[in-house]
Amino acid sequence: MKNIIVGQSGGPTAVINSSVVGVYEAAKELGSTHIYGMVHGIEGFLKGEYIDLKDVLDEEKVELLKRTPSAYLGSCRYKLPPFEKDREVYEKIFSKLDELEIEYFFYIGGNDSMDTIKMLSDYAKENGKSQRFIGIPKTIDNDLPITDHCPGYGSAVKYIATSLKEIIRDNESFGVEKPTVCIVEIMGRHAGWLTAGAALAKGEDCCGVDAIYLPEEVFDIDEFKARVKHLAETKSSVVIAVSEGITTADGKFVCEIGAENAPVDAFGHKQLSGCGKTLADIIHNEFGLKTRAIEFSTLQRAATHLASLTDINEAIEVGKLAVKAADEGKTGMMITILRDNNYGIYDIHDIANVEKKIPTEWIDSENKQMKNEYIEYARPLIKGELLPIFKDGVVCHLIRK
Amino acid sequence: MKNIIVGQSGGPTAVINSSVVGVYEAAKELGSTHIYGMVHGIEGFLKGEYIDLKDVLDEEKVELLKRTPSAYLGSCRYKLPPFEKDREVYEKIFSKLDELEIEYFFYIGGNDSMDTIKMLSDYAKENGKSQRFIGIPKTIDNDLPITDHCPGYGSAVKYIATSLKEIIRDNESFGVEKPTVCIVEIMGRHAGWLTAGAALAKGEDCCGVDAIYLPEEVFDIDEFKARVKHLAETKSSVVIAVSEGITTADGKFVCEIGAENAPVDAFGHKQLSGCGKTLADIIHNEFGLKTRAIEFSTLQRAATHLASLTDINEAIEVGKLAVKAADEGKTGMMITILRDNNYGIYDIHDIANVEKKIPTEWIDSENKQMKNEYIEYARPLIKGELLPIFKDGVVCHLIRK
């Protein structure tokens, strides 16, 4: 018996499916009769939407699943109400779990999803329910506390660093008389972990990005303009990485600067560009320089063709360890990753809804670069590759039929 | 002896360096004493900027060069004046060629660059100069006439199709109640070749993009809105590919629609978004749908880590054949690629400044999709992979020191 269920929640990553693989393989080893997968997380489960992974996966499909981005099972952004306020939804979930004879419940996600594990395990404890609930970390944002880093982050950074190298190469193809300023906007509203990853583009064969602007520091538009002007006077190519979340001293997002004079579209609606485009426009208009704004958008979390093998292996491992922990009697906890290839487990109450930022001592504020401490932290996370499977010239994925 | 010189011109591609490899290897075989490379094309050559590839390349570096995007030698956008108007620049070029005892001149580029080959070979003919001039096709835009397709195109399409698959996967991760409309803007101001490549995302494991809008057809905003509205009512994910060059019946670029009411930034300057952003804003504002605009920007021409092996091999081959043609006495011509792995050569006068569009009979106007004729044309061009060389988790490139 020992039926289990696993769900995926929140924003997708390049390796969130590898954690499903880990849960699936460990549960199979455990002898689970059914290995259920919630379709669209807890939200779909509440509507009775689930599949049995034993019906759809085999060895070959597991290999494809590791190479498939986004949530194979479907994701959701559903927040459970406090059970003091709404017991009904909890009764529904637990009656479903009872009905399917599910003993262990796994949820792969970030801060919000860990809140779901916290609520469900608290409810089970208070109501004498026997099911166990374990959280499996996942977020490209890398902002979960306690764990050294999060599955999903390494692959996103590998994509960011590689793509930036290609952008830098492209940007420097014309000569010094015509410098091009390229502003690359990277995800991360509150924490700059992803944008910091731009630092890894630098190497023997690449000068790297010329500056990195993180949301951890106040954005000073005058400093930015002076820096770019100086760079464009001395280099043929200027490439700058900015976090979508950079804010000025008065607490405004940079993408709102351009909107101050209320630009509206043909329908009278306010048009908000990203901060990269806003900054590129400012540089072009003030200095007459050729500019380009690039946003990695969802590609930075979906480019499994360029995933980090380290990241994939860790995502599988935290899935396996979650099953092991539940089977050892643990509940209301999340698997964590430690430095040096070790893993741990931690009370979910200290994790849910807490956000981890980049240590300020890792930021070289003066030169707008990351210090070696960050490079040493991040470099191991992007190492290794899992070759994609190609058919007819494009990568293959596994999809739910 | 038999010194040769090669230059790169115009927008970079993922495989423009492979053509340098082809020229280098054929010239080495020919016994050339010097294999010169112009730094920043004819513009740099006029200033005396060149290197000897024999000094910088070896077997290992050739492998890296094949995997390096953008113009290794540096590119330029320099248009030669008609020699009836300005003989001086020609005299300067030919005196440089004489001085370096260069017999064959190769230029890797698109329409504008082929004009350079035409002018130089015409000048040589009229002035009894013995140097031979051969053009090597290169453009992601695939808009050169006579040749079946252009090196650079296949790799760009491979990137577009693979990235679209990843975007589609990401976009469909949330459920049907919250459809997301994603508009992906692809390069190509006048010809829709690159945008058509979006059709190759479709396969057994992918529903493909929901519509493709090419500049070859008039863009009807009402048809677009009705189509997207209908799609969002029936699908959880809507992904649409649009060419940056789509224009309305009155000849306006779509990116200008949003600017009709003259939106200005904080400095009073007009802000122009891309057409993808403009259309996403229109859909969001009219139907209240969640939208996202993605631009592949320079990544689509620089992602050598995902290059097509077929494309790399063809880029090498046209480089080699250019050397062979010059050595056989040909001049004022461009190497062409024929269907079925064959190559030809053609008078440059019929190629320079001519633009090839997608045959209208390949476009399914009603369903806004590409017909099978296009799929059969494009599929072979994206096949095969050349594995990148990784170091410390990121791809390696060869750069000019």
Side-chain angles (χ1 to χ4, degrees), chain A residues 70 75 165-166 169-170 173 205 265 277 285 301 305 392 395 397, chain B residues 70 75 165-166 169-170 173 205 265 272 285 301 305 379 395 397:
Chain A
S70 185
S75 191
K165 258 183 106 155
E166 293 177 333
R169 209 88 309 132
D170 184 281
S173 59
D205 59 354
D265 69 11
K277 177 78 166 74
N285 293 331
R301 69 185 186 198
H305 79 271
D392 292 336
V395 293
H397 295 152
Chain B
S70 187
S75 191
K165 259 184 104 156
E166 294 178 331
R169 207 90 309 133
D170 184 280
S173 59
D205 59 354
D265 69 10
L272 263 191
N285 293 331
R301 69 185 187 198
H305 79 270
R379 182 66 74 187
V395 293
H397 295 152

PDB file of all heavy atoms in Angstrom, chain A residues 70 75 165-166 169-170 173 205 265 277 285 301 305 392 395 397, chain B residues 70 75 165-166 169-170 173 205 265 272 285 301 305 379 395 397:
ATOM      1  N   SER A  70       8.832  23.239 -17.146  1.00  0.00           N
ATOM      2  CA  SER A  70       7.496  23.593 -16.671  1.00  0.00           C
ATOM      3  C   SER A  70       6.886  22.411 -15.920  1.00  0.00           C
ATOM      4  O   SER A  70       7.485  21.347 -15.824  1.00  0.00           O
ATOM      5  CB  SER A  70       6.620  24.007 -17.851  1.00  0.00           C
ATOM      6  OG  SER A  70       5.379  24.468 -17.414  1.00  0.00           O
ATOM      7  N   SER A  75       0.488  23.334 -12.770  1.00  0.00           N
ATOM      8  CA  SER A  75       0.742  24.066 -11.537  1.00  0.00           C
ATOM      9  C   SER A  75      -0.494  24.861 -11.110  1.00  0.00           C
ATOM     10  O   SER A  75      -1.530  24.828 -11.789  1.00  0.00           O
ATOM     11  CB  SER A  75       1.935  25.003 -11.740  1.00  0.00           C
ATOM     12  OG  SER A  75       2.370  25.528 -10.507  1.00  0.00           O
ATOM     13  N   LYS A 165      26.622  35.517 -22.436  1.00  0.00           N
ATOM     14  CA  LYS A 165      27.859  35.390 -23.207  1.00  0.00           C
ATOM     15  C   LYS A 165      27.557  35.545 -24.695  1.00  0.00           C
ATOM     16  O   LYS A 165      28.300  36.205 -25.425  1.00  0.00           O
ATOM     17  CB  LYS A 165      28.495  34.017 -22.967  1.00  0.00           C
ATOM     18  CG  LYS A 165      29.666  34.045 -22.021  1.00  0.00           C
ATOM     19  CD  LYS A 165      30.306  32.682 -21.868  1.00  0.00           C
ATOM     20  CE  LYS A 165      31.620  32.626 -22.606  1.00  0.00           C
ATOM     21  NZ  LYS A 165      32.534  31.598 -22.041  1.00  0.00           N
ATOM     22  N   GLU A 166      26.473  34.916 -25.140  1.00  0.00           N
ATOM     23  CA  GLU A 166      26.100  35.003 -26.559  1.00  0.00           C
ATOM     24  C   GLU A 166      25.676  36.433 -26.917  1.00  0.00           C
ATOM     25  O   GLU A 166      25.998  36.939 -27.998  1.00  0.00           O
ATOM     26  CB  GLU A 166      24.999  33.984 -26.864  1.00  0.00           C
ATOM     27  CG  GLU A 166      25.526  32.553 -26.727  1.00  0.00           C
ATOM     28  CD  GLU A 166      24.499  31.446 -26.945  1.00  0.00           C
ATOM     29  OE1 GLU A 166      23.290  31.695 -26.707  1.00  0.00           O
ATOM     30  OE2 GLU A 166      24.884  30.343 -27.330  1.00  0.00           O
ATOM     31  N   ARG A 169      28.822  38.586 -27.110  1.00  0.00           N
ATOM     32  CA  ARG A 169      29.510  38.299 -28.378  1.00  0.00           C
ATOM     33  C   ARG A 169      28.834  39.067 -29.510  1.00  0.00           C
ATOM     34  O   ARG A 169      29.480  39.711 -30.323  1.00  0.00           O
ATOM     35  CB  ARG A 169      29.416  36.778 -28.617  1.00  0.00           C
ATOM     36  CG  ARG A 169      30.493  36.141 -29.380  1.00  0.00           C
ATOM     37  CD  ARG A 169      31.710  35.660 -28.590  1.00  0.00           C
ATOM     38  NE  ARG A 169      32.313  36.603 -27.714  1.00  0.00           N
ATOM     39  CZ  ARG A 169      32.645  36.368 -26.444  1.00  0.00           C
ATOM     40  NH1 ARG A 169      32.446  35.186 -25.927  1.00  0.00           N
ATOM     41  NH2 ARG A 169      33.211  37.311 -25.719  1.00  0.00           N
ATOM     42  N   ASP A 170      27.515  38.973 -29.567  1.00  0.00           N
ATOM     43  CA  ASP A 170      26.743  39.645 -30.622  1.00  0.00           C
ATOM     44  C   ASP A 170      26.916  41.157 -30.529  1.00  0.00           C
ATOM     45  O   ASP A 170      27.119  41.843 -31.528  1.00  0.00           O
ATOM     46  CB  ASP A 170      25.260  39.273 -30.481  1.00  0.00           C
ATOM     47  CG  ASP A 170      24.402  39.848 -31.593  1.00  0.00           C
ATOM     48  OD1 ASP A 170      24.051  41.043 -31.550  1.00  0.00           O
ATOM     49  OD2 ASP A 170      24.104  39.088 -32.530  1.00  0.00           O
ATOM     50  N   SER A 173      30.048  42.935 -31.995  1.00  0.00           N
ATOM     51  CA  SER A 173      30.479  42.619 -33.363  1.00  0.00           C
ATOM     52  C   SER A 173      30.783  43.865 -34.197  1.00  0.00           C
ATOM     53  O   SER A 173      31.532  43.803 -35.152  1.00  0.00           O
ATOM     54  CB  SER A 173      29.458  41.736 -34.077  1.00  0.00           C
ATOM     55  OG  SER A 173      28.217  42.371 -34.137  1.00  0.00           O
ATOM     56  N   ASP A 205      37.369  33.792 -21.826  1.00  0.00           N
ATOM     57  CA  ASP A 205      36.938  34.127 -23.179  1.00  0.00           C
ATOM     58  C   ASP A 205      35.804  35.149 -23.189  1.00  0.00           C
ATOM     59  O   ASP A 205      35.111  35.305 -24.188  1.00  0.00           O
ATOM     60  CB  ASP A 205      36.509  32.859 -23.924  1.00  0.00           C
ATOM     61  CG  ASP A 205      35.371  32.140 -23.210  1.00  0.00           C
ATOM     62  OD1 ASP A 205      35.009  32.561 -22.100  1.00  0.00           O
ATOM     63  OD2 ASP A 205      34.837  31.171 -23.776  1.00  0.00           O
ATOM     64  N   ASP A 265      -1.632  54.339 -24.261  1.00  0.00           N
ATOM     65  CA  ASP A 265      -1.713  53.790 -25.609  1.00  0.00           C
ATOM     66  C   ASP A 265      -2.925  54.369 -26.328  1.00  0.00           C
ATOM     67  O   ASP A 265      -3.606  55.262 -25.818  1.00  0.00           O
ATOM     68  CB  ASP A 265      -1.739  52.261 -25.567  1.00  0.00           C
ATOM     69  CG  ASP A 265      -3.034  51.731 -24.990  1.00  0.00           C
ATOM     70  OD1 ASP A 265      -3.988  52.521 -24.821  1.00  0.00           O
ATOM     71  OD2 ASP A 265      -3.089  50.526 -24.708  1.00  0.00           O
ATOM     72  N   LYS A 277      13.751  48.166 -20.699  1.00  0.00           N
ATOM     73  CA  LYS A 277      13.340  49.045 -21.804  1.00  0.00           C
ATOM     74  C   LYS A 277      13.332  50.498 -21.345  1.00  0.00           C
ATOM     75  O   LYS A 277      13.791  51.394 -22.082  1.00  0.00           O
ATOM     76  CB  LYS A 277      11.928  48.609 -22.261  1.00  0.00           C
ATOM     77  CG  LYS A 277      11.309  49.466 -23.351  1.00  0.00           C
ATOM     78  CD  LYS A 277      11.884  49.128 -24.713  1.00  0.00           C
ATOM     79  CE  LYS A 277      11.056  49.713 -25.860  1.00  0.00           C
ATOM     80  NZ  LYS A 277      11.207  51.159 -26.018  1.00  0.00           N
ATOM     81  N   ASN A 285      17.807  58.411 -25.275  1.00  0.00           N
ATOM     82  CA  ASN A 285      17.314  59.777 -25.381  1.00  0.00           C
ATOM     83  C   ASN A 285      18.289  60.809 -24.814  1.00  0.00           C
ATOM     84  O   ASN A 285      18.408  61.908 -25.342  1.00  0.00           O
ATOM     85  CB  ASN A 285      15.954  59.895 -24.677  1.00  0.00           C
ATOM     86  CG  ASN A 285      14.882  59.097 -25.404  1.00  0.00           C
ATOM     87  OD1 ASN A 285      14.961  58.908 -26.624  1.00  0.00           O
ATOM     88  ND2 ASN A 285      13.896  58.608 -24.679  1.00  0.00           N
ATOM     89  N   ARG A 301      13.398  30.359 -17.058  1.00  0.00           N
ATOM     90  CA  ARG A 301      12.945  29.298 -16.155  1.00  0.00           C
ATOM     91  C   ARG A 301      12.511  28.047 -16.926  1.00  0.00           C
ATOM     92  O   ARG A 301      12.159  27.041 -16.319  1.00  0.00           O
ATOM     93  CB  ARG A 301      11.806  29.788 -15.261  1.00  0.00           C
ATOM     94  CG  ARG A 301      10.491  30.063 -15.984  1.00  0.00           C
ATOM     95  CD  ARG A 301       9.459  30.665 -15.041  1.00  0.00           C
ATOM     96  NE  ARG A 301       8.170  30.792 -15.711  1.00  0.00           N
ATOM     97  CZ  ARG A 301       7.185  31.573 -15.300  1.00  0.00           C
ATOM     98  NH1 ARG A 301       7.351  32.321 -14.233  1.00  0.00           N
ATOM     99  NH2 ARG A 301       6.049  31.619 -15.951  1.00  0.00           N
ATOM    100  N   HIS A 305      16.653  22.645 -22.103  1.00  0.00           N
ATOM    101  CA  HIS A 305      17.679  22.145 -23.035  1.00  0.00           C
ATOM    102  C   HIS A 305      19.079  22.554 -22.567  1.00  0.00           C
ATOM    103  O   HIS A 305      20.067  21.989 -23.023  1.00  0.00           O
ATOM    104  CB  HIS A 305      17.416  22.640 -24.468  1.00  0.00           C
ATOM    105  CG  HIS A 305      17.835  24.047 -24.732  1.00  0.00           C
ATOM    106  ND1 HIS A 305      17.011  25.133 -24.536  1.00  0.00           N
ATOM    107  CD2 HIS A 305      19.014  24.554 -25.159  1.00  0.00           C
ATOM    108  CE1 HIS A 305      17.662  26.241 -24.839  1.00  0.00           C
ATOM    109  NE2 HIS A 305      18.871  25.917 -25.219  1.00  0.00           N
ATOM    110  N   ASP A 392      13.749  15.441 -35.156  1.00  0.00           N
ATOM    111  CA  ASP A 392      13.478  16.387 -36.243  1.00  0.00           C
ATOM    112  C   ASP A 392      14.055  17.773 -35.977  1.00  0.00           C
ATOM    113  O   ASP A 392      13.472  18.786 -36.377  1.00  0.00           O
ATOM    114  CB  ASP A 392      11.966  16.508 -36.485  1.00  0.00           C
ATOM    115  CG  ASP A 392      11.373  15.231 -37.057  1.00  0.00           C
ATOM    116  OD1 ASP A 392      12.124  14.461 -37.679  1.00  0.00           O
ATOM    117  OD2 ASP A 392      10.160  15.020 -36.876  1.00  0.00           O
ATOM    118  N   VAL A 395      14.007  19.839 -29.525  1.00  0.00           N
ATOM    119  CA  VAL A 395      14.057  19.034 -28.305  1.00  0.00           C
ATOM    120  C   VAL A 395      12.720  18.344 -28.050  1.00  0.00           C
ATOM    121  O   VAL A 395      11.672  18.846 -28.413  1.00  0.00           O
ATOM    122  CB  VAL A 395      14.421  19.898 -27.069  1.00  0.00           C
ATOM    123  CG1 VAL A 395      15.850  20.400 -27.173  1.00  0.00           C
ATOM    124  CG2 VAL A 395      13.446  21.053 -26.912  1.00  0.00           C
ATOM    125  N   HIS A 397       9.883  16.621 -25.436  1.00  0.00           N
ATOM    126  CA  HIS A 397       9.325  16.760 -24.086  1.00  0.00           C
ATOM    127  C   HIS A 397       8.327  15.646 -23.812  1.00  0.00           C
ATOM    128  O   HIS A 397       7.844  14.984 -24.737  1.00  0.00           O
ATOM    129  CB  HIS A 397       8.591  18.103 -23.957  1.00  0.00           C
ATOM    130  CG  HIS A 397       9.474  19.300 -24.074  1.00  0.00           C
ATOM    131  ND1 HIS A 397       9.028  20.517 -24.539  1.00  0.00           N
ATOM    132  CD2 HIS A 397      10.787  19.475 -23.789  1.00  0.00           C
ATOM    133  CE1 HIS A 397      10.029  21.392 -24.521  1.00  0.00           C
ATOM    134  NE2 HIS A 397      11.106  20.783 -24.086  1.00  0.00           N
TER     135      HIS A 397
ATOM    136  N   SER B  70      28.297  35.189 -33.541  1.00  0.00           N
ATOM    137  CA  SER B  70      28.660  36.545 -33.917  1.00  0.00           C
ATOM    138  C   SER B  70      29.948  36.518 -34.745  1.00  0.00           C
ATOM    139  O   SER B  70      30.524  35.468 -34.980  1.00  0.00           O
ATOM    140  CB  SER B  70      28.834  37.393 -32.654  1.00  0.00           C
ATOM    141  OG  SER B  70      29.038  38.743 -32.989  1.00  0.00           O
ATOM    142  N   SER B  75      32.332  42.758 -37.416  1.00  0.00           N
ATOM    143  CA  SER B  75      31.513  43.037 -38.589  1.00  0.00           C
ATOM    144  C   SER B  75      31.453  44.538 -38.856  1.00  0.00           C
ATOM    145  O   SER B  75      32.044  45.336 -38.127  1.00  0.00           O
ATOM    146  CB  SER B  75      30.104  42.488 -38.363  1.00  0.00           C
ATOM    147  OG  SER B  75      29.366  42.519 -39.549  1.00  0.00           O
ATOM    148  N   LYS B 165       8.813  25.920 -28.072  1.00  0.00           N
ATOM    149  CA  LYS B 165       8.317  24.719 -27.377  1.00  0.00           C
ATOM    150  C   LYS B 165       8.428  24.910 -25.869  1.00  0.00           C
ATOM    151  O   LYS B 165       7.519  24.558 -25.116  1.00  0.00           O
ATOM    152  CB  LYS B 165       9.133  23.494 -27.791  1.00  0.00           C
ATOM    153  CG  LYS B 165       8.439  22.627 -28.816  1.00  0.00           C
ATOM    154  CD  LYS B 165       9.233  21.371 -29.124  1.00  0.00           C
ATOM    155  CE  LYS B 165       8.638  20.158 -28.467  1.00  0.00           C
ATOM    156  NZ  LYS B 165       9.005  18.901 -29.185  1.00  0.00           N
ATOM    157  N   GLU B 166       9.553  25.476 -25.437  1.00  0.00           N
ATOM    158  CA  GLU B 166       9.746  25.688 -23.998  1.00  0.00           C
ATOM    159  C   GLU B 166       8.781  26.752 -23.474  1.00  0.00           C
ATOM    160  O   GLU B 166       8.241  26.633 -22.373  1.00  0.00           O
ATOM    161  CB  GLU B 166      11.212  26.049 -23.723  1.00  0.00           C
ATOM    162  CG  GLU B 166      12.147  24.884 -24.051  1.00  0.00           C
ATOM    163  CD  GLU B 166      13.625  25.147 -23.856  1.00  0.00           C
ATOM    164  OE1 GLU B 166      14.044  26.317 -23.991  1.00  0.00           O
ATOM    165  OE2 GLU B 166      14.382  24.203 -23.607  1.00  0.00           O
ATOM    166  N   ARG B 169       5.292  25.175 -23.240  1.00  0.00           N
ATOM    167  CA  ARG B 169       5.245  24.316 -22.051  1.00  0.00           C
ATOM    168  C   ARG B 169       5.027  25.183 -20.808  1.00  0.00           C
ATOM    169  O   ARG B 169       4.175  24.888 -19.985  1.00  0.00           O
ATOM    170  CB  ARG B 169       6.602  23.589 -21.966  1.00  0.00           C
ATOM    171  CG  ARG B 169       6.605  22.275 -21.287  1.00  0.00           C
ATOM    172  CD  ARG B 169       6.342  21.075 -22.184  1.00  0.00           C
ATOM    173  NE  ARG B 169       5.181  21.151 -23.018  1.00  0.00           N
ATOM    174  CZ  ARG B 169       5.169  20.853 -24.321  1.00  0.00           C
ATOM    175  NH1 ARG B 169       6.275  20.496 -24.916  1.00  0.00           N
ATOM    176  NH2 ARG B 169       4.044  20.920 -25.003  1.00  0.00           N
ATOM    177  N   ASP B 170       5.805  26.248 -20.689  1.00  0.00           N
ATOM    178  CA  ASP B 170       5.696  27.141 -19.528  1.00  0.00           C
ATOM    179  C   ASP B 170       4.314  27.796 -19.478  1.00  0.00           C
ATOM    180  O   ASP B 170       3.694  27.874 -18.424  1.00  0.00           O
ATOM    181  CB  ASP B 170       6.782  28.223 -19.619  1.00  0.00           C
ATOM    182  CG  ASP B 170       6.807  29.132 -18.407  1.00  0.00           C
ATOM    183  OD1 ASP B 170       5.983  30.067 -18.318  1.00  0.00           O
ATOM    184  OD2 ASP B 170       7.654  28.898 -17.531  1.00  0.00           O
ATOM    185  N   SER B 173       1.228  25.916 -18.019  1.00  0.00           N
ATOM    186  CA  SER B 173       1.352  25.252 -16.713  1.00  0.00           C
ATOM    187  C   SER B 173       0.188  25.566 -15.781  1.00  0.00           C
ATOM    188  O   SER B 173      -0.101  24.793 -14.886  1.00  0.00           O
ATOM    189  CB  SER B 173       2.681  25.584 -16.043  1.00  0.00           C
ATOM    190  OG  SER B 173       2.812  26.960 -15.848  1.00  0.00           O
ATOM    191  N   ASP B 205       4.606  15.947 -29.448  1.00  0.00           N
ATOM    192  CA  ASP B 205       4.621  16.358 -28.046  1.00  0.00           C
ATOM    193  C   ASP B 205       4.358  17.841 -27.865  1.00  0.00           C
ATOM    194  O   ASP B 205       4.633  18.418 -26.816  1.00  0.00           O
ATOM    195  CB  ASP B 205       5.969  15.991 -27.398  1.00  0.00           C
ATOM    196  CG  ASP B 205       7.141  16.655 -28.120  1.00  0.00           C
ATOM    197  OD1 ASP B 205       6.907  17.282 -29.162  1.00  0.00           O
ATOM    198  OD2 ASP B 205       8.276  16.551 -27.630  1.00  0.00           O
ATOM    199  N   ASP B 265       7.812  59.539 -22.802  1.00  0.00           N
ATOM    200  CA  ASP B 265       8.374  59.196 -21.502  1.00  0.00           C
ATOM    201  C   ASP B 265       8.580  60.461 -20.674  1.00  0.00           C
ATOM    202  O   ASP B 265       8.163  61.552 -21.067  1.00  0.00           O
ATOM    203  CB  ASP B 265       9.674  58.399 -21.668  1.00  0.00           C
ATOM    204  CG  ASP B 265      10.796  59.249 -22.235  1.00  0.00           C
ATOM    205  OD1 ASP B 265      10.636  60.478 -22.322  1.00  0.00           O
ATOM    206  OD2 ASP B 265      11.823  58.669 -22.601  1.00  0.00           O
ATOM    207  N   LEU B 272       8.651  53.817 -28.275  1.00  0.00           N
ATOM    208  CA  LEU B 272       8.158  52.805 -29.210  1.00  0.00           C
ATOM    209  C   LEU B 272       8.432  51.411 -28.654  1.00  0.00           C
ATOM    210  O   LEU B 272       9.577  51.037 -28.428  1.00  0.00           O
ATOM    211  CB  LEU B 272       8.850  52.947 -30.562  1.00  0.00           C
ATOM    212  CG  LEU B 272       8.106  53.736 -31.637  1.00  0.00           C
ATOM    213  CD1 LEU B 272       8.797  53.548 -32.986  1.00  0.00           C
ATOM    214  CD2 LEU B 272       6.642  53.346 -31.740  1.00  0.00           C
ATOM    215  N   ASN B 285      -5.821  45.015 -22.492  1.00  0.00           N
ATOM    216  CA  ASN B 285      -6.719  46.138 -22.217  1.00  0.00           C
ATOM    217  C   ASN B 285      -8.133  45.902 -22.741  1.00  0.00           C
ATOM    218  O   ASN B 285      -9.109  46.323 -22.128  1.00  0.00           O
ATOM    219  CB  ASN B 285      -6.140  47.422 -22.818  1.00  0.00           C
ATOM    220  CG  ASN B 285      -4.854  47.842 -22.108  1.00  0.00           C
ATOM    221  OD1 ASN B 285      -4.675  47.559 -20.916  1.00  0.00           O
ATOM    222  ND2 ASN B 285      -3.957  48.477 -22.831  1.00  0.00           N
ATOM    223  N   ARG B 301      19.854  35.016 -33.165  1.00  0.00           N
ATOM    224  CA  ARG B 301      20.949  34.937 -34.134  1.00  0.00           C
ATOM    225  C   ARG B 301      22.277  34.591 -33.465  1.00  0.00           C
ATOM    226  O   ARG B 301      23.282  34.430 -34.148  1.00  0.00           O
ATOM    227  CB  ARG B 301      21.073  36.241 -34.926  1.00  0.00           C
ATOM    228  CG  ARG B 301      21.557  37.425 -34.114  1.00  0.00           C
ATOM    229  CD  ARG B 301      21.541  38.705 -34.934  1.00  0.00           C
ATOM    230  NE  ARG B 301      22.153  39.794 -34.192  1.00  0.00           N
ATOM    231  CZ  ARG B 301      21.989  41.086 -34.465  1.00  0.00           C
ATOM    232  NH1 ARG B 301      21.222  41.451 -35.482  1.00  0.00           N
ATOM    233  NH2 ARG B 301      22.586  42.006 -33.761  1.00  0.00           N
ATOM    234  N   HIS B 305      24.974  27.756 -29.115  1.00  0.00           N
ATOM    235  CA  HIS B 305      24.911  26.537 -28.289  1.00  0.00           C
ATOM    236  C   HIS B 305      23.797  25.610 -28.778  1.00  0.00           C
ATOM    237  O   HIS B 305      23.779  24.432 -28.435  1.00  0.00           O
ATOM    238  CB  HIS B 305      24.712  26.881 -26.813  1.00  0.00           C
ATOM    239  CG  HIS B 305      23.305  27.226 -26.430  1.00  0.00           C
ATOM    240  ND1 HIS B 305      22.795  28.506 -26.475  1.00  0.00           N
ATOM    241  CD2 HIS B 305      22.287  26.447 -26.009  1.00  0.00           C
ATOM    242  CE1 HIS B 305      21.539  28.492 -26.080  1.00  0.00           C
ATOM    243  NE2 HIS B 305      21.199  27.267 -25.798  1.00  0.00           N
ATOM    244  N   ARG B 379      12.333  21.901 -42.467  1.00  0.00           N
ATOM    245  CA  ARG B 379      12.701  20.846 -41.509  1.00  0.00           C
ATOM    246  C   ARG B 379      14.139  20.347 -41.680  1.00  0.00           C
ATOM    247  O   ARG B 379      14.878  20.245 -40.692  1.00  0.00           O
ATOM    248  CB  ARG B 379      11.690  19.695 -41.600  1.00  0.00           C
ATOM    249  CG  ARG B 379      11.924  18.555 -40.633  1.00  0.00           C
ATOM    250  CD  ARG B 379      11.722  18.948 -39.167  1.00  0.00           C
ATOM    251  NE  ARG B 379      10.323  19.117 -38.807  1.00  0.00           N
ATOM    252  CZ  ARG B 379       9.924  19.594 -37.628  1.00  0.00           C
ATOM    253  NH1 ARG B 379      10.806  19.947 -36.711  1.00  0.00           N
ATOM    254  NH2 ARG B 379       8.637  19.742 -37.375  1.00  0.00           N
ATOM    255  N   VAL B 395      29.140  27.818 -21.872  1.00  0.00           N
ATOM    256  CA  VAL B 395      29.732  27.471 -23.164  1.00  0.00           C
ATOM    257  C   VAL B 395      31.011  28.280 -23.400  1.00  0.00           C
ATOM    258  O   VAL B 395      31.146  29.403 -22.936  1.00  0.00           O
ATOM    259  CB  VAL B 395      28.742  27.745 -24.324  1.00  0.00           C
ATOM    260  CG1 VAL B 395      27.566  26.799 -24.252  1.00  0.00           C
ATOM    261  CG2 VAL B 395      28.271  29.188 -24.315  1.00  0.00           C
ATOM    262  N   HIS B 397      33.804  30.059 -26.013  1.00  0.00           N
ATOM    263  CA  HIS B 397      33.904  30.735 -27.304  1.00  0.00           C
ATOM    264  C   HIS B 397      35.362  31.030 -27.637  1.00  0.00           C
ATOM    265  O   HIS B 397      36.223  31.003 -26.751  1.00  0.00           O
ATOM    266  CB  HIS B 397      33.147  32.070 -27.263  1.00  0.00           C
ATOM    267  CG  HIS B 397      31.674  31.924 -27.076  1.00  0.00           C
ATOM    268  ND1 HIS B 397      30.898  32.877 -26.468  1.00  0.00           N
ATOM    269  CD2 HIS B 397      30.822  30.926 -27.418  1.00  0.00           C
ATOM    270  CE1 HIS B 397      29.639  32.479 -26.448  1.00  0.00           C
ATOM    271  NE2 HIS B 397      29.567  31.300 -27.016  1.00  0.00           N
TER     272      HIS B 397
END
